[in-house]
């Protein structure tokens, strides 16, 4: 039985922060250079076990995100491998200059972990939504941007980031997601993952929206539409070859993300325009601040659900 055939009520959902926390302990056990840098976010990052096991290797700078990234860059210059752990909305907005200059421009080996991204904070409202991070971060030269779709991919991305010689951002979801990648899957930066074959339209999704794209493809199949599903775990570098192949072989693309549509959507559109112009539709947050509300309500509000993706696919096919 494929994951798209499993009713939502029967799916086991995971908080990717659990995979983050256990993987960081595993990495620290094997490599004494691994340290964690936080902004009073031990609890929200689920790092209590790391703090208990390595109290001298957890640096809490308090609510000072700019200092947090600067301290991490200094630790990297001193031979450590810092994992910066903070709510994505505060990490990316408050410390953007430090991410740009101290991490990316300086090519520091810093792993920036944006916790509870997208609209995961729900009722806390626009100040706590991190819907701009896709768009902001993909513009920074030299910064690898990873948006995992499930716990296994999260863990693999973190292990890769620990060994990568350069700055990395990993979006770590708290919104419940099922396992979506096949058994034996190996994360490879810059590679999209084809989760479903299709010839009529391609659904390109990232992070928490991958399962919604799979469900939408199943619904489209019931309407006689064959939808390819590509999971895009690496926003930068983007798998341009997969985008061009999708444009050439299916003739239409829908992008899906829990973020402003100028993130993945913008990156795909830029690639299509340069190499293989085809109709593209975007599912995500438009040019607007996301309001206050429960997570599922917010996703439905912006059509980041099966119905919204199906409608976008039918619309793009109408072109």
């Amino acid at each position: 039985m494929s994951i798209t055939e499993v009713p939502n009520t029967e799916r086991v959902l995971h908080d990717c922060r659990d995979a983050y926390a256990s993987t960081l302990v595993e990495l620290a056990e094997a490599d004494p250079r691994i340290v964690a840098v936080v902004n009073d976010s031990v609890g929200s990052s689920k790092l209590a076990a790391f703090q208990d096991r390595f109290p001298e290797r957890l640096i809490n700078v308090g609510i000072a995100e700019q200092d947090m990234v600067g301290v991490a860059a200094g630790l990297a210059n001193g031979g450590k491998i810092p994992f910066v752990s903070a709510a994505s909305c505060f990490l990316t907005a408050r410390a953007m200059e430090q991410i740009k200059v101290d991490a990316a421009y300086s090519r520091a080996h810093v792993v920036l972990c944006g916790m509870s991204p997208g609209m995961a904070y729900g009722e806390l409202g626009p100040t706590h939504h991190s819907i701009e991070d896709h768009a902001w971060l993909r513009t920074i030269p030299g910064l690898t941007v990873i948006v995992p779709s499930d716990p296994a991919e999260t863990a693999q991305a973190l292990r890769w980031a620990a060994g990568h010689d350069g700055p990395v951002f990993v979006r770590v979801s708290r919104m419940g997601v099922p396992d979506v990648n096949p058994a034996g899957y190996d994360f490879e930066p810059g590679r999209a993952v084809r989760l479903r074959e299709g010839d009529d339209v391609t659904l390109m999704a990232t992070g928490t929206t991958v399962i919604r794209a799979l469900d939408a493809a199943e619904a489209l199949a019931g309407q006689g539409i064959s939808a390819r599903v590509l999971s895009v775990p690496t926003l930068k570098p983007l798998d341009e070859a997969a985008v061009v192949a999708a444009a050439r072989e299916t003739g239409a693309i829908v992008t899906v993300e829990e973020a402003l549509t100028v993130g993945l959507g913008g990156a795909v559109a830029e690639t299509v325009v340069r190499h293989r112009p085809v109709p593209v539709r975007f599912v995500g947050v438009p040019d607007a601040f996301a309001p206050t509300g429960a997570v599922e309500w917010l996703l439905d509000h912006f059509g980041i659900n099966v119905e919204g993706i199906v409608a976008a696919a039918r619309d793009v096919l109408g072109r």
Side-chain angles (χ1 to χ4, degrees):
M1 178 179 288
S2 72
I3 193 166
T4 55
E5 296 171 324
V6 180
N8 289 332
T9 54
E10 297 180 13
R11 287 179 178 150
V12 177
L13 301 181
H14 309 282
D15 182 338
C16 289
R17 293 177 302 167
D18 293 322
Y20 166 75
S22 61
T23 303
L24 192 56
V25 170
E26 168 198 313
L27 290 169
E29 292 279 6
D31 190 337
R33 297 175 298 167
I34 300 288
V35 297
V37 187
V38 300
N39 61 335
D40 251 3
S41 54
V42 173
S44 61
S45 299
K46 296 198 170 186
L47 290 179
F50 184 96
Q51 185 177 46
D52 290 343
R53 177 68 183 83
F54 308 104
E56 76 288 354
R57 290 161 64 181
L58 186 141
I59 298 94
N60 190 343
V61 304
I63 303 175
E65 287 77 12
Q66 295 170 332
D67 288 343
M68 177 177 61
V69 176
V71 166
L75 289 164
N77 288 339
K80 302 296 183 183
I81 303 175
F83 280 70
V84 177
S85 181
S88 190
C89 56
F90 303 131
L91 171 60
T92 58
R94 292 180 180 167
M96 182 57 70
E97 181 180 0
Q98 285 69 32
I99 292 173
K100 170 188 169 183
V101 177
D102 297 348
Y105 175 71
S106 303
R107 287 209 51 79
H109 187 182
V110 174
V111 185
L112 304 159
C113 301
M115 316 301 290
S116 306
M119 297 178 287
Y121 277 121
E123 291 86 346
L124 293 181
T127 58
H128 284 62
H129 298 328
S130 183
I131 57 174
E132 305 87 0
D133 52 3
H134 285 185
W136 285 343
L137 295 171
R138 78 176 184 88
T139 67
I140 298 178
L143 178 66
T144 300
V145 182
I146 304 173
V147 187
S149 60
D150 65 12
E153 192 166 64
T154 300
Q156 290 193 35
L158 292 167
R159 294 187 191 106
W160 176 83
H164 175 64
D165 184 20
V168 181
F169 176 85
V170 183
R171 212 181 198 233
V172 183
S173 171
R174 72 185 279 170
M175 189 185 303
V177 291
D179 297 312
V180 298
N181 287 294
Y185 165 72
D186 291 319
F187 168 78
E188 182 181 328
R191 179 172 68 92
V193 186
R194 191 179 300 194
L195 296 179
R196 183 179 178 117
E197 298 294 340
D199 301 319
D200 296 327
V201 62
T202 297
L203 310 179
M204 298 190 67
T206 191
T208 60
T209 66
V210 171
I211 184 58
R212 291 166 172 79
L214 285 166
D215 286 344
E218 190 75 15
L220 286 165
Q223 301 174 22
I225 298 171
S226 173
R228 177 180 302 181
V229 177
L230 288 180
S231 172
V232 186
T234 313
L235 201 60
K236 185 173 184 175
L238 183 70
D239 188 345
E240 293 195 349
V243 175
V244 174
R248 183 179 64 251
E249 295 165 9
T250 69
I253 296 174
V254 175
T255 64
V256 192
E257 57 194 310
E258 187 201 348
L260 291 171
T261 57
V262 288
L264 173 64
V268 169
E270 291 163 12
T271 303
V272 167
V273 167
R274 288 198 309 271
H275 300 291
R276 186 82 179 194
V278 296
V280 181
R281 291 292 178 272
F282 312 111
V283 174
V285 182
D287 184 17
F289 289 107
T292 299
V295 173
E296 289 299 326
W297 179 87
L298 287 164
L299 292 170
D300 290 342
H301 176 73
F302 289 115
I304 310 173
N305 54 21
V306 171
E307 293 77 13
I309 300 168
V310 167
R314 295 186 66 87
D315 179 56
V316 78
L317 286 171
R319 293 290 303 273

